[in-house]
Amino acid sequence: MGKYEAVIGLEVHAQLHTVSKLFSGDATNFNALPNQHVGPITLGHPGTLPKMNKKAVELAIKMGLVCGCEISTNNYFARKNYFYADLPKGFQISQHTTPICRGGLVHINTTNGSRDIQLTRIHLEEDAGKSIHDQDDALTLLDFNRAGMPLIEIVSEPDMHSSEEAAAYLTQIRKLVRWIGVCDGNMEEGSLRCDANISVRPVGSRTLGTRVEVKNLNSIKHLRHAVEIEIERLTALSEKGETILQETRSYDADAGITFSIRTKEDAEDYRYFPEPDLAPFQFTEQYIGELKNQIPLLPAELSNKFINEYGLSSYDAEQLTDEKELCDLYEEVARHTIYKKQLANILLGPLKSLLNQSSTQWNSIHISTTHWNELLILIAEGTINFSMAAQKILPRMMADPAVTPTVLIQQLDLVQDADADQLQGWAKQALDAMPDKVMAYKKGKKGLIGLFVGEVKKYSKGKADPKQVTAILESLLHQ
Ligand code: ADP
Ligand code: MG
């Protein structure tokens, strides 16, 4: 450590969120039977002609716009020729020297602060089919559902220097593609996958070292681990003065290793040439402007709004803008209540854990803004305390969104008991029951107040307001 610096560039493939494939009407849904969506164009039958999917082009441009790329107004596709069993046409339609987006950046946050990672390009291409080697002892099985799926490949500059930065970069890309609806970001299903290029060089050197490329990393955890393994391996080789071979490697998650699959000597010549079956395509500035207008406010913009206009902490704002559905819910309700901080507390605390417990999504919450606001007012006015609202009322509001929180509180007999005499009685009863604890408190163990408050809450069946109880107990204890 210390003598060498790691350099990392990532190639991220994102499957575009379209109904049909890039050059045919075949469907794109993931949970289809093998070879269910394989029309003649997908299978490359003679005489078939590709037809471009406009929606895919739109999504690629949108991703370029949110990354601040320059959008190319003149475009064409290129044929990348190679032979493989899962590539029925014998070539892949991609973009070579004319990517649809150039330059741009992705903003990341790490423990060392935040920085911009430079992008080289984003281009459009079709996916290949899938070879399945582990279902039959003797045969390789082929599933062409994936062949022709629309992809963008997002290529970064060799601009990252640690596994943490690489992981933060992929996390940010996943968040962005989901936010703007470009890709579902589902790495387990392969909608988002990553190849990591890694090299090391002496600290201070400006030239790049020889890189290795680890293919097909399908989770952020795997990316992080594979990069760590390679940095360590390449650093050790460099320290021993050994030559590093440019090679392509694979990551084995179970064994926790990477292994070589081919070296640069085997590199193929893809004989790229402009795809003759598809016309070049152009965009006007006006068309790009229209797409720009369709892009929703981005997480960073909303986070600033929550901090500056709603007075939330940056931690809360960060959490609320982590997922689009959560953020939409918060924004919608926040517009109809003055209790914006308390609303954030409910969503990020009890509601989030209720949803986690039942594996439910944010967009399955159907509580009206009026009912949310009513609940927040009931808490603010002390009619019900926060924990009762969270534990008892919230689940009922979720299950039965038609009933108002006021009615629910009455039904469950949860109106906070503000009768000071009764609280005073319970407080005395609690203290009398624990004379030794009272003594300890008086000698300085002030933390015991929580225990006393808990006792009184038990007597009140949870209805007592903890703030009021604390005040009463403190006055009794200081007598
Ligand atoms: P290919 O398509 O053959 O993999 P590219 O030259 O387009 O090749 O590079 C792909 C990725 O590799 C890019 O993200 C780039 O930033 C990264 N890269 C290139 N050279 C290096 C290097 N020496 N060290 C680390 N990453 C590199
Ligand atoms: Mg590559």
Side-chain angles (χ1 to χ4, degrees), residues 25-87:
D26 288 343
T28 54
N29 60 304
F30 175 76
N31 48 1
L33 293 170
N35 295 308
Q36 193 179 345
H37 301 309
V38 292
I41 296 179
T42 292
L43 294 178
H45 284 189
T48 56
L49 287 172
K51 193 164 176 238
M52 194 169 74
N53 183 333
K54 194 172 162 205
K55 181 77 186 173
V57 175
E58 247 177 63
L59 295 177
I61 296 176
K62 283 187 179 172
M63 188 59 187
L65 289 172
V66 302
C67 296
C69 305
E70 182 197 322
I71 311 297
S72 314
T73 42
N74 290 304
N75 294 274
Y76 63 86
F77 282 102
R79 273 192 195 180
K80 179 179 181 178
N81 298 281
Y82 66 96
F83 176 79
Y84 202 74
D86 61 22
L87 190 73

Short mmCIF file of all heavy atoms in Angstrom, two decimals, residues 25-87:
data_model
loop_
_atom_site.label_atom_id
_atom_site.label_comp_id
_atom_site.label_asym_id
_atom_site.label_seq_id
_atom_site.Cartn_x
_atom_site.Cartn_y
_atom_site.Cartn_z
N GLY A 25 -40.70 -6.46 -32.77
CA GLY A 25 -41.85 -6.31 -31.86
C GLY A 25 -41.86 -7.36 -30.75
O GLY A 25 -42.79 -7.40 -29.94
N ASP A 26 -40.83 -8.21 -30.66
CA ASP A 26 -40.80 -9.23 -29.61
C ASP A 26 -40.81 -8.58 -28.23
O ASP A 26 -40.16 -7.55 -28.01
CB ASP A 26 -39.53 -10.09 -29.73
CG ASP A 26 -39.61 -11.03 -30.93
OD1 ASP A 26 -40.73 -11.25 -31.44
OD2 ASP A 26 -38.55 -11.53 -31.35
N ALA A 27 -41.53 -9.24 -27.29
CA ALA A 27 -41.70 -8.67 -25.96
C ALA A 27 -40.41 -8.77 -25.13
O ALA A 27 -39.52 -9.58 -25.43
CB ALA A 27 -42.84 -9.37 -25.23
N THR A 28 -40.35 -7.95 -24.09
CA THR A 28 -39.12 -7.88 -23.28
C THR A 28 -39.29 -8.38 -21.85
O THR A 28 -38.35 -8.29 -21.08
CB THR A 28 -38.64 -6.41 -23.19
OG1 THR A 28 -39.73 -5.63 -22.72
CG2 THR A 28 -38.16 -5.88 -24.52
N ASN A 29 -40.50 -8.88 -21.49
CA ASN A 29 -40.68 -9.20 -20.06
C ASN A 29 -39.75 -10.33 -19.61
O ASN A 29 -39.45 -11.26 -20.35
CB ASN A 29 -42.14 -9.53 -19.74
CG ASN A 29 -42.66 -10.70 -20.52
OD1 ASN A 29 -42.61 -10.68 -21.74
ND2 ASN A 29 -43.13 -11.71 -19.83
N PHE A 30 -39.30 -10.20 -18.36
CA PHE A 30 -38.25 -11.07 -17.84
C PHE A 30 -38.75 -12.50 -17.56
O PHE A 30 -38.05 -13.47 -17.81
CB PHE A 30 -37.68 -10.46 -16.55
CG PHE A 30 -36.69 -11.33 -15.87
CD1 PHE A 30 -35.39 -11.45 -16.37
CD2 PHE A 30 -37.03 -12.05 -14.73
CE1 PHE A 30 -34.46 -12.27 -15.74
CE2 PHE A 30 -36.10 -12.88 -14.09
CZ PHE A 30 -34.83 -12.98 -14.61
N ASN A 31 -39.98 -12.60 -17.03
CA ASN A 31 -40.42 -13.91 -16.54
C ASN A 31 -41.10 -14.76 -17.62
O ASN A 31 -42.08 -15.45 -17.35
CB ASN A 31 -41.34 -13.73 -15.34
CG ASN A 31 -42.40 -12.68 -15.60
OD1 ASN A 31 -42.44 -12.10 -16.70
ND2 ASN A 31 -43.27 -12.43 -14.63
N ALA A 32 -40.58 -14.70 -18.84
CA ALA A 32 -41.16 -15.50 -19.92
C ALA A 32 -40.54 -16.90 -19.93
O ALA A 32 -39.48 -17.12 -19.33
CB ALA A 32 -40.89 -14.81 -21.25
N LEU A 33 -41.18 -17.83 -20.61
CA LEU A 33 -40.59 -19.16 -20.78
C LEU A 33 -39.41 -19.03 -21.73
O LEU A 33 -39.40 -18.13 -22.58
CB LEU A 33 -41.62 -20.11 -21.39
CG LEU A 33 -42.81 -20.44 -20.50
CD1 LEU A 33 -43.88 -21.18 -21.30
CD2 LEU A 33 -42.34 -21.29 -19.31
N PRO A 34 -38.42 -19.92 -21.63
CA PRO A 34 -37.28 -19.83 -22.55
C PRO A 34 -37.76 -19.84 -24.00
O PRO A 34 -38.68 -20.57 -24.37
CB PRO A 34 -36.47 -21.11 -22.25
CG PRO A 34 -36.85 -21.47 -20.85
CD PRO A 34 -38.28 -21.02 -20.67
N ASN A 35 -37.13 -19.00 -24.80
CA ASN A 35 -37.43 -18.90 -26.24
C ASN A 35 -38.89 -18.62 -26.55
O ASN A 35 -39.43 -19.08 -27.56
CB ASN A 35 -36.94 -20.16 -26.98
CG ASN A 35 -35.44 -20.25 -26.91
OD1 ASN A 35 -34.74 -19.30 -27.25
ND2 ASN A 35 -34.92 -21.38 -26.43
N GLN A 36 -39.52 -17.83 -25.69
CA GLN A 36 -40.91 -17.46 -25.93
C GLN A 36 -41.00 -16.22 -26.83
O GLN A 36 -41.92 -16.09 -27.62
CB GLN A 36 -41.60 -17.18 -24.58
CG GLN A 36 -43.11 -17.08 -24.72
CD GLN A 36 -43.77 -16.81 -23.37
OE1 GLN A 36 -43.16 -16.97 -22.31
NE2 GLN A 36 -45.02 -16.39 -23.40
N HIS A 37 -40.03 -15.33 -26.68
CA HIS A 37 -40.08 -14.07 -27.44
C HIS A 37 -38.99 -14.05 -28.51
O HIS A 37 -38.03 -13.31 -28.41
CB HIS A 37 -39.94 -12.89 -26.48
CG HIS A 37 -41.01 -12.86 -25.44
ND1 HIS A 37 -42.34 -12.95 -25.76
CD2 HIS A 37 -40.94 -12.78 -24.10
CE1 HIS A 37 -43.06 -12.91 -24.64
NE2 HIS A 37 -42.23 -12.81 -23.61
N VAL A 38 -39.14 -14.93 -29.48
CA VAL A 38 -38.10 -15.07 -30.50
C VAL A 38 -38.69 -15.13 -31.90
O VAL A 38 -38.77 -16.19 -32.52
CB VAL A 38 -37.22 -16.33 -30.23
CG1 VAL A 38 -36.41 -16.14 -28.97
CG2 VAL A 38 -38.06 -17.58 -30.07
N GLY A 39 -39.10 -13.97 -32.39
CA GLY A 39 -39.62 -13.87 -33.76
C GLY A 39 -38.48 -13.99 -34.77
O GLY A 39 -37.30 -14.08 -34.39
N PRO A 40 -38.81 -13.97 -36.06
CA PRO A 40 -37.79 -14.13 -37.12
C PRO A 40 -36.70 -13.06 -37.10
O PRO A 40 -35.55 -13.36 -37.43
CB PRO A 40 -38.60 -14.05 -38.41
CG PRO A 40 -40.03 -14.00 -38.05
CD PRO A 40 -40.18 -13.88 -36.57
N ILE A 41 -37.02 -11.83 -36.68
CA ILE A 41 -35.97 -10.79 -36.66
C ILE A 41 -34.96 -11.12 -35.56
O ILE A 41 -33.74 -11.09 -35.77
CB ILE A 41 -36.57 -9.38 -36.45
CG1 ILE A 41 -37.47 -9.02 -37.64
CG2 ILE A 41 -35.47 -8.34 -36.24
CD1 ILE A 41 -38.13 -7.66 -37.54
N THR A 42 -35.48 -11.48 -34.37
CA THR A 42 -34.60 -11.85 -33.26
C THR A 42 -33.71 -13.02 -33.66
O THR A 42 -32.52 -13.06 -33.31
CB THR A 42 -35.45 -12.23 -32.03
OG1 THR A 42 -36.10 -11.05 -31.56
CG2 THR A 42 -34.62 -12.82 -30.92
N LEU A 43 -34.26 -13.96 -34.40
CA LEU A 43 -33.48 -15.14 -34.77
C LEU A 43 -32.63 -14.90 -36.02
O LEU A 43 -31.91 -15.80 -36.45
CB LEU A 43 -34.40 -16.34 -34.97
CG LEU A 43 -35.09 -16.83 -33.68
CD1 LEU A 43 -36.01 -18.00 -33.98
CD2 LEU A 43 -34.07 -17.22 -32.62
N GLY A 44 -32.73 -13.72 -36.61
CA GLY A 44 -31.89 -13.38 -37.75
C GLY A 44 -32.21 -14.21 -38.99
O GLY A 44 -31.31 -14.56 -39.75
N HIS A 45 -33.49 -14.52 -39.19
CA HIS A 45 -33.84 -15.28 -40.40
C HIS A 45 -33.52 -14.48 -41.65
O HIS A 45 -33.64 -13.25 -41.65
CB HIS A 45 -35.33 -15.64 -40.38
CG HIS A 45 -35.65 -16.75 -39.44
ND1 HIS A 45 -36.88 -17.36 -39.39
CD2 HIS A 45 -34.90 -17.37 -38.49
CE1 HIS A 45 -36.87 -18.30 -38.46
NE2 HIS A 45 -35.68 -18.32 -37.90
N PRO A 46 -33.15 -15.19 -42.74
CA PRO A 46 -32.84 -14.48 -43.99
C PRO A 46 -34.04 -13.67 -44.45
O PRO A 46 -35.19 -14.12 -44.31
CB PRO A 46 -32.54 -15.62 -44.98
CG PRO A 46 -32.26 -16.82 -44.15
CD PRO A 46 -33.00 -16.66 -42.88
N GLY A 47 -33.79 -12.49 -44.94
CA GLY A 47 -34.86 -11.66 -45.49
C GLY A 47 -35.55 -10.79 -44.48
O GLY A 47 -36.34 -9.92 -44.85
N THR A 48 -35.25 -10.95 -43.20
CA THR A 48 -35.89 -10.07 -42.21
C THR A 48 -35.10 -8.77 -42.11
O THR A 48 -33.88 -8.75 -42.33
CB THR A 48 -35.93 -10.73 -40.81
OG1 THR A 48 -34.60 -11.09 -40.44
CG2 THR A 48 -36.82 -11.95 -40.81
N LEU A 49 -35.82 -7.71 -41.76
CA LEU A 49 -35.16 -6.41 -41.63
C LEU A 49 -35.45 -5.81 -40.26
O LEU A 49 -36.58 -5.86 -39.80
CB LEU A 49 -35.67 -5.45 -42.72
CG LEU A 49 -35.17 -5.72 -44.14
CD1 LEU A 49 -35.90 -4.82 -45.13
CD2 LEU A 49 -33.66 -5.54 -44.23
N PRO A 50 -34.44 -5.25 -39.61
CA PRO A 50 -34.66 -4.62 -38.31
C PRO A 50 -35.43 -3.32 -38.45
O PRO A 50 -35.35 -2.65 -39.49
CB PRO A 50 -33.23 -4.34 -37.83
CG PRO A 50 -32.43 -4.20 -39.08
CD PRO A 50 -33.05 -5.11 -40.08
N LYS A 51 -36.17 -2.97 -37.40
CA LYS A 51 -36.90 -1.71 -37.40
C LYS A 51 -36.64 -1.06 -36.04
O LYS A 51 -36.81 -1.70 -35.01
CB LYS A 51 -38.39 -2.01 -37.57
CG LYS A 51 -39.20 -0.82 -37.90
CD LYS A 51 -40.58 -1.21 -38.43
CE LYS A 51 -41.38 0.05 -38.65
NZ LYS A 51 -42.61 0.10 -37.93
N MET A 52 -36.20 0.20 -36.06
CA MET A 52 -35.72 0.80 -34.82
C MET A 52 -36.84 1.17 -33.84
O MET A 52 -37.88 1.67 -34.24
CB MET A 52 -34.92 2.05 -35.16
CG MET A 52 -34.10 2.56 -34.02
SD MET A 52 -32.99 3.83 -34.62
CE MET A 52 -34.12 5.17 -34.86
N ASN A 53 -36.61 0.89 -32.55
CA ASN A 53 -37.56 1.20 -31.48
C ASN A 53 -37.31 2.64 -30.99
O ASN A 53 -36.29 2.95 -30.38
CB ASN A 53 -37.33 0.20 -30.34
CG ASN A 53 -38.30 0.37 -29.20
OD1 ASN A 53 -38.82 1.45 -28.96
ND2 ASN A 53 -38.53 -0.71 -28.47
N LYS A 54 -38.27 3.51 -31.26
CA LYS A 54 -38.11 4.94 -30.96
C LYS A 54 -37.99 5.18 -29.45
O LYS A 54 -37.24 6.05 -29.00
CB LYS A 54 -39.31 5.69 -31.53
CG LYS A 54 -39.13 7.17 -31.58
CD LYS A 54 -40.26 7.85 -32.33
CE LYS A 54 -40.26 9.32 -31.98
NZ LYS A 54 -41.57 9.93 -32.14
N LYS A 55 -38.75 4.39 -28.69
CA LYS A 55 -38.75 4.55 -27.23
C LYS A 55 -37.34 4.31 -26.66
O LYS A 55 -36.90 5.03 -25.76
CB LYS A 55 -39.74 3.55 -26.62
CG LYS A 55 -39.87 3.62 -25.14
CD LYS A 55 -40.71 4.79 -24.71
CE LYS A 55 -40.69 4.92 -23.20
NZ LYS A 55 -41.36 6.14 -22.76
N ALA A 56 -36.65 3.30 -27.21
CA ALA A 56 -35.30 2.99 -26.71
C ALA A 56 -34.36 4.18 -26.95
O ALA A 56 -33.56 4.54 -26.09
CB ALA A 56 -34.77 1.74 -27.40
N VAL A 57 -34.51 4.78 -28.12
CA VAL A 57 -33.66 5.93 -28.46
C VAL A 57 -33.94 7.08 -27.48
O VAL A 57 -33.02 7.72 -26.96
CB VAL A 57 -33.90 6.36 -29.92
CG1 VAL A 57 -33.13 7.62 -30.25
CG2 VAL A 57 -33.52 5.23 -30.88
N GLU A 58 -35.22 7.28 -27.21
CA GLU A 58 -35.64 8.32 -26.27
C GLU A 58 -35.00 8.13 -24.90
O GLU A 58 -34.48 9.07 -24.28
CB GLU A 58 -37.15 8.18 -26.04
CG GLU A 58 -37.98 9.29 -26.57
CD GLU A 58 -39.45 8.96 -26.32
OE1 GLU A 58 -39.88 8.84 -25.14
OE2 GLU A 58 -40.15 8.81 -27.32
N LEU A 59 -35.03 6.87 -24.41
CA LEU A 59 -34.49 6.59 -23.08
C LEU A 59 -32.99 6.80 -23.04
O LEU A 59 -32.45 7.33 -22.06
CB LEU A 59 -34.86 5.16 -22.66
CG LEU A 59 -36.36 4.90 -22.48
CD1 LEU A 59 -36.62 3.43 -22.14
CD2 LEU A 59 -36.95 5.79 -21.39
N ALA A 60 -32.30 6.42 -24.12
CA ALA A 60 -30.85 6.62 -24.17
C ALA A 60 -30.53 8.12 -24.09
O ALA A 60 -29.62 8.54 -23.37
CB ALA A 60 -30.28 6.02 -25.45
N ILE A 61 -31.31 8.92 -24.82
CA ILE A 61 -31.07 10.38 -24.80
C ILE A 61 -31.33 10.93 -23.40
O ILE A 61 -30.56 11.76 -22.89
CB ILE A 61 -31.97 11.09 -25.84
CG1 ILE A 61 -31.59 10.65 -27.26
CG2 ILE A 61 -31.85 12.62 -25.70
CD1 ILE A 61 -32.48 11.23 -28.35
N LYS A 62 -32.41 10.45 -22.75
CA LYS A 62 -32.72 10.95 -21.40
C LYS A 62 -31.57 10.67 -20.43
O LYS A 62 -31.21 11.51 -19.61
CB LYS A 62 -34.00 10.31 -20.88
CG LYS A 62 -35.25 10.92 -21.48
CD LYS A 62 -36.49 10.38 -20.81
CE LYS A 62 -37.73 11.02 -21.40
NZ LYS A 62 -38.96 10.39 -20.90
N MET A 63 -30.99 9.47 -20.53
CA MET A 63 -29.88 9.15 -19.64
C MET A 63 -28.72 10.09 -19.93
O MET A 63 -28.07 10.59 -19.00
CB MET A 63 -29.47 7.68 -19.83
CG MET A 63 -28.46 7.21 -18.82
SD MET A 63 -29.09 7.37 -17.12
CE MET A 63 -27.63 6.94 -16.18
N GLY A 64 -28.47 10.35 -21.21
CA GLY A 64 -27.41 11.29 -21.58
C GLY A 64 -27.68 12.68 -21.00
O GLY A 64 -26.77 13.34 -20.49
N LEU A 65 -28.94 13.09 -21.05
CA LEU A 65 -29.27 14.43 -20.55
C LEU A 65 -29.04 14.54 -19.05
O LEU A 65 -28.48 15.53 -18.58
CB LEU A 65 -30.73 14.78 -20.91
CG LEU A 65 -31.00 15.06 -22.39
CD1 LEU A 65 -32.50 15.19 -22.65
CD2 LEU A 65 -30.27 16.32 -22.86
N VAL A 66 -29.46 13.52 -18.27
CA VAL A 66 -29.26 13.66 -16.82
C VAL A 66 -27.78 13.55 -16.44
O VAL A 66 -27.40 13.99 -15.35
CB VAL A 66 -30.10 12.67 -15.96
CG1 VAL A 66 -31.57 12.81 -16.24
CG2 VAL A 66 -29.66 11.24 -16.13
N CYS A 67 -26.97 12.98 -17.30
CA CYS A 67 -25.52 12.91 -17.01
C CYS A 67 -24.77 14.09 -17.63
O CYS A 67 -23.54 14.14 -17.56
CB CYS A 67 -24.93 11.60 -17.51
SG CYS A 67 -25.59 10.15 -16.70
N GLY A 68 -25.50 15.01 -18.23
CA GLY A 68 -24.84 16.18 -18.81
C GLY A 68 -23.99 15.85 -20.02
O GLY A 68 -22.99 16.52 -20.30
N CYS A 69 -24.36 14.81 -20.77
CA CYS A 69 -23.59 14.44 -21.98
C CYS A 69 -23.98 15.37 -23.13
O CYS A 69 -25.02 16.01 -23.12
CB CYS A 69 -23.92 13.02 -22.43
SG CYS A 69 -23.71 11.76 -21.19
N GLU A 70 -23.13 15.35 -24.13
CA GLU A 70 -23.47 16.02 -25.38
C GLU A 70 -24.23 14.98 -26.22
O GLU A 70 -23.78 13.85 -26.36
CB GLU A 70 -22.16 16.41 -26.06
CG GLU A 70 -22.32 17.16 -27.35
CD GLU A 70 -21.01 17.13 -28.15
OE1 GLU A 70 -19.94 17.21 -27.51
OE2 GLU A 70 -21.10 16.98 -29.38
N ILE A 71 -25.41 15.36 -26.72
CA ILE A 71 -26.21 14.40 -27.48
C ILE A 71 -25.86 14.56 -28.97
O ILE A 71 -25.93 15.67 -29.50
CB ILE A 71 -27.73 14.64 -27.28
CG1 ILE A 71 -28.08 14.78 -25.78
CG2 ILE A 71 -28.56 13.56 -27.96
CD1 ILE A 71 -27.83 13.57 -24.93
N SER A 72 -25.49 13.45 -29.62
CA SER A 72 -25.14 13.53 -31.04
C SER A 72 -26.41 13.68 -31.87
O SER A 72 -27.34 12.89 -31.70
CB SER A 72 -24.42 12.26 -31.50
OG SER A 72 -23.44 11.91 -30.57
N THR A 73 -26.45 14.65 -32.74
CA THR A 73 -27.68 14.82 -33.53
C THR A 73 -27.68 13.92 -34.76
O THR A 73 -28.74 13.60 -35.29
CB THR A 73 -27.88 16.30 -33.92
OG1 THR A 73 -26.63 16.82 -34.33
CG2 THR A 73 -28.40 17.11 -32.77
N ASN A 74 -26.50 13.49 -35.23
CA ASN A 74 -26.45 12.57 -36.38
C ASN A 74 -25.94 11.21 -35.92
O ASN A 74 -24.84 11.12 -35.36
CB ASN A 74 -25.51 13.11 -37.45
CG ASN A 74 -26.11 14.32 -38.11
OD1 ASN A 74 -27.23 14.25 -38.63
ND2 ASN A 74 -25.41 15.44 -38.05
N ASN A 75 -26.74 10.20 -36.16
CA ASN A 75 -26.39 8.88 -35.63
C ASN A 75 -26.59 7.78 -36.65
O ASN A 75 -27.42 7.90 -37.55
CB ASN A 75 -27.31 8.55 -34.44
CG ASN A 75 -27.08 9.47 -33.27
OD1 ASN A 75 -26.21 9.23 -32.46
ND2 ASN A 75 -27.85 10.54 -33.19
N TYR A 76 -25.83 6.71 -36.48
CA TYR A 76 -26.13 5.48 -37.22
C TYR A 76 -25.67 4.29 -36.39
O TYR A 76 -24.89 4.44 -35.44
CB TYR A 76 -25.50 5.50 -38.61
CG TYR A 76 -23.99 5.55 -38.63
CD1 TYR A 76 -23.23 4.39 -38.54
CD2 TYR A 76 -23.33 6.78 -38.74
CE1 TYR A 76 -21.84 4.45 -38.55
CE2 TYR A 76 -21.94 6.84 -38.74
CZ TYR A 76 -21.21 5.67 -38.65
OH TYR A 76 -19.83 5.72 -38.65
N PHE A 77 -26.17 3.13 -36.74
CA PHE A 77 -25.75 1.91 -36.06
C PHE A 77 -24.61 1.26 -36.83
O PHE A 77 -24.42 1.51 -38.02
CB PHE A 77 -26.92 0.94 -35.95
CG PHE A 77 -27.88 1.31 -34.85
CD1 PHE A 77 -29.08 1.94 -35.14
CD2 PHE A 77 -27.56 1.04 -33.53
CE1 PHE A 77 -29.96 2.29 -34.12
CE2 PHE A 77 -28.44 1.39 -32.51
CZ PHE A 77 -29.64 2.02 -32.80
N ALA A 78 -23.84 0.41 -36.13
CA ALA A 78 -22.73 -0.29 -36.76
C ALA A 78 -22.85 -1.78 -36.47
O ALA A 78 -23.38 -2.18 -35.43
CB ALA A 78 -21.41 0.24 -36.22
N ARG A 79 -22.38 -2.59 -37.39
CA ARG A 79 -22.36 -4.03 -37.17
C ARG A 79 -21.06 -4.42 -36.51
O ARG A 79 -19.97 -4.08 -37.00
CB ARG A 79 -22.44 -4.77 -38.50
CG ARG A 79 -23.83 -4.99 -38.94
CD ARG A 79 -23.88 -5.99 -40.09
NE ARG A 79 -25.22 -5.88 -40.68
CZ ARG A 79 -25.63 -6.60 -41.70
NH1 ARG A 79 -24.80 -7.46 -42.28
NH2 ARG A 79 -26.85 -6.46 -42.17
N LYS A 80 -21.18 -5.20 -35.44
CA LYS A 80 -19.99 -5.75 -34.77
C LYS A 80 -20.03 -7.25 -35.06
O LYS A 80 -20.91 -7.95 -34.57
CB LYS A 80 -20.11 -5.46 -33.28
CG LYS A 80 -18.99 -5.97 -32.43
CD LYS A 80 -19.23 -5.60 -30.96
CE LYS A 80 -18.10 -6.08 -30.07
NZ LYS A 80 -18.30 -5.70 -28.67
N ASN A 81 -19.11 -7.69 -35.90
CA ASN A 81 -19.18 -9.07 -36.39
C ASN A 81 -18.39 -10.03 -35.51
O ASN A 81 -17.20 -9.82 -35.26
CB ASN A 81 -18.60 -9.14 -37.80
CG ASN A 81 -19.40 -8.29 -38.76
OD1 ASN A 81 -20.46 -8.69 -39.23
ND2 ASN A 81 -18.90 -7.09 -39.05
N TYR A 82 -19.05 -11.05 -35.04
CA TYR A 82 -18.33 -12.17 -34.41
C TYR A 82 -19.24 -13.38 -34.42
O TYR A 82 -20.45 -13.26 -34.63
CB TYR A 82 -17.85 -11.81 -33.00
CG TYR A 82 -18.92 -11.55 -31.94
CD1 TYR A 82 -19.32 -12.58 -31.08
CD2 TYR A 82 -19.48 -10.29 -31.78
CE1 TYR A 82 -20.27 -12.33 -30.09
CE2 TYR A 82 -20.43 -10.05 -30.81
CZ TYR A 82 -20.82 -11.07 -29.95
OH TYR A 82 -21.76 -10.83 -28.98
N PHE A 83 -18.64 -14.54 -34.24
CA PHE A 83 -19.42 -15.76 -34.28
C PHE A 83 -19.56 -16.34 -32.89
O PHE A 83 -18.58 -16.54 -32.19
CB PHE A 83 -18.74 -16.80 -35.19
CG PHE A 83 -19.48 -18.10 -35.18
CD1 PHE A 83 -20.64 -18.26 -35.93
CD2 PHE A 83 -19.04 -19.15 -34.38
CE1 PHE A 83 -21.34 -19.45 -35.88
CE2 PHE A 83 -19.75 -20.34 -34.33
CZ PHE A 83 -20.90 -20.49 -35.08
N TYR A 84 -20.79 -16.55 -32.46
CA TYR A 84 -21.00 -17.22 -31.19
C TYR A 84 -22.39 -17.84 -31.23
O TYR A 84 -23.29 -17.30 -31.87
CB TYR A 84 -20.86 -16.25 -30.01
CG TYR A 84 -20.55 -16.96 -28.73
CD1 TYR A 84 -19.28 -17.49 -28.50
CD2 TYR A 84 -21.52 -17.16 -27.76
CE1 TYR A 84 -18.99 -18.19 -27.35
CE2 TYR A 84 -21.24 -17.86 -26.59
CZ TYR A 84 -19.97 -18.38 -26.40
OH TYR A 84 -19.68 -19.08 -25.26
N ALA A 85 -22.56 -18.96 -30.54
CA ALA A 85 -23.83 -19.70 -30.62
C ALA A 85 -25.02 -18.87 -30.19
O ALA A 85 -26.13 -19.06 -30.69
CB ALA A 85 -23.73 -20.96 -29.77
N ASP A 86 -24.82 -17.93 -29.23
CA ASP A 86 -25.97 -17.16 -28.76
C ASP A 86 -26.21 -15.88 -29.57
O ASP A 86 -26.99 -15.02 -29.18
CB ASP A 86 -25.86 -16.86 -27.26
CG ASP A 86 -24.63 -16.04 -26.91
OD1 ASP A 86 -24.10 -15.35 -27.80
OD2 ASP A 86 -24.22 -16.08 -25.74
N LEU A 87 -25.51 -15.77 -30.69
CA LEU A 87 -25.66 -14.58 -31.54
C LEU A 87 -26.16 -15.04 -32.93
O LEU A 87 -25.37 -15.26 -33.84
CB LEU A 87 -24.30 -13.88 -31.67
CG LEU A 87 -24.33 -12.50 -32.31
CD1 LEU A 87 -24.93 -11.46 -31.37
CD2 LEU A 87 -22.91 -12.07 -32.71
#
